[in-house]
Amino acid sequence: WKHSIVHACEGGDNGQLDAVRNDQLLNFYWQATKIEKVGVVELIRDGQRFFKLRPNDRPVRLILYAQQMSAPAVGKDHREYSSQLSGGRLSMIFETKPFPEIVKIVEDAETYSLNRGDAGEERIGADSTSRSWWKPVTRNL
């Protein structure tokens, strides 16, 4: 997990870089697992390595920025990652159009939070009333 992106970035193969981008850097579930296993700093390093090779990749830049802003909270508790992203860290208010990759990450983060980290289907029914989830709707309190 710690060096999963390094080899693809060092090789510089466009096919491998595309796979890393889509299947790892812009995949919420992969990100959450990496943070749980090796920490948020390693996740940020992966994004920085990739971004050096593709500096014009705006979705990767947005997720990297969100990860950097979330690092203090996520470094203390990896379970904070989903609420950090769904609570506004991935805002695209300055973008002319939303990036589908970012929209998907936010949706996955919200589903993950609602399911308390279970990547399966949403929990609906009697059990759902006993669960609460605080979700910030703006960047400021």
Side-chain angles (χ1 to χ4, degrees):
W1 278 98
K2 191 169 184 177
H3 302 290
S4 58
I5 291 182
V6 173
H7 302 295
C9 288
E10 287 179 354
D13 177 88
N14 279 331
Q16 285 185 335
L17 290 174
D18 288 341
V20 161
R21 177 191 188 273
N22 299 323
D23 299 337
Q24 296 176 339
L25 294 176
L26 296 176
N27 181 310
F28 171 78
Y29 295 106
W30 183 87
Q31 296 166 15
T33 303
K34 175 133 185 169
I35 289 171
E36 185 178 351
K37 293 194 180 288
V38 295
V40 70
V41 173
E42 290 300 322
L43 182 67
I44 291 169
R45 286 183 185 152
D46 286 344
Q48 290 170 334
R49 283 183 191 105
F50 182 88
F51 196 67
K52 284 181 184 178
L53 297 172
R54 293 194 177 170
N56 296 324
D57 193 323
R58 187 71 179 151
V60 171
R61 179 65 190 125
L62 289 173
I63 189 67
L64 181 57
Y65 181 64
Q67 290 163 350
Q68 290 168 333
M69 290 187 343
S70 301
V74 176
K76 292 177 184 174
D77 185 351
H78 68 88
R79 296 170 295 184
E80 290 291 322
Y81 188 60
S82 60
S83 63
Q84 289 284 314
L85 296 186
S86 62
R89 294 285 191 212
L90 274 175
S91 172
M92 292 183 282
I93 59 173
F94 299 111
E95 304 300 322
T96 55
K97 64 176 185 163
F99 294 103
E101 303 97 321
I102 300 300
V103 171
K104 175 81 168 108
I105 289 172
V106 171
E107 289 172 353
D108 288 346
E110 288 177 355
T111 300
Y112 186 86
S113 291
L114 290 171
N115 293 331
R116 297 287 194 222
D118 182 11
E121 60 199 40
E122 289 187 39
R123 295 179 182 161
I124 299 173
D127 189 51
S128 65
T129 59
S130 65
R131 298 188 182 273
S132 62
W133 176 49
W134 185 79
K135 175 188 169 190
V137 292
T138 64
R139 288 186 175 185
N140 299 322
L141 294 175

